[in-house]
Amino acid sequence: MKGKYEVHEYVGIPLTTDNSGHYQLKVDDQNKIQPPHSWRTGKHTRGQFKQVGQILITENNLKVVIIAELPLAFKDRHSLTPLQRFTTEMVTNDVLEQGLELLN
């Protein structure tokens, strides 16, 4: 099929920065960590996925830590929102472990 590209689903949790500039998992008004959400690669997604713990940027410029990569059929791609780009930034192991606990 012309124009077909590889598609993957990325499960992640939005991030904020603390007063020191370190990434932390974003919490809601009740001080609970936001639940994981899914994004997908799109035709114009920039960068490359390297590993879990990497930070991606959504189309709304939200920074998200990737806690899982899953296969996604090309025909199912419209069920998820595409991401804008992968960054080369990584979160600390502590933040990643918090996110992985939420996934399980």
Side-chain angles (χ1 to χ4, degrees):
M1 172 192 282
K2 185 178 181 183
K4 192 172 181 180
Y5 51 93
E6 194 169 335
V7 181
H8 293 276
E9 176 182 354
Y10 297 94
V11 180
I13 300 173
L15 296 168
T16 58
T17 53
D18 61 16
N19 293 336
S20 300
H22 299 107
Y23 290 111
Q24 300 296 326
L25 299 178
K26 193 172 188 176
V27 294
D28 60 17
D29 296 335
Q30 288 82 34
N31 212 27
K32 292 185 178 182
I33 296 173
Q34 293 193 350
H37 296 283
S38 292
W39 288 269
R40 68 169 174 92
T41 47
K43 191 172 193 174
H44 302 287
T45 298
R46 295 183 309 225
Q48 286 187 317
F49 173 72
K50 302 284 185 198
Q51 67 185 45
V52 170
Q54 185 175 354
I55 297 173
L56 64 83
I57 298 179
T58 68
E59 289 190 332
N60 295 328
N61 292 320
L62 178 67
K63 289 191 175 188
V64 174
V65 59
I66 301 169
I67 57 174
E69 177 196 25
L70 305 169
L72 183 65
F74 187 77
K75 64 182 175 75
D76 297 332
R77 70 191 186 283
H78 293 295
S79 63
L80 297 173
T81 304
L83 62 97
Q84 184 183 84
R85 67 183 171 102
F86 295 102
T87 68
T88 56
E89 296 178 287
M90 303 289 289
V91 295
T92 62
N93 287 336
D94 296 343
V95 173
L96 179 58
E97 286 174 17
Q98 279 183 310
L100 291 174
E101 285 177 16
L102 290 175
L103 189 61
N104 299 331

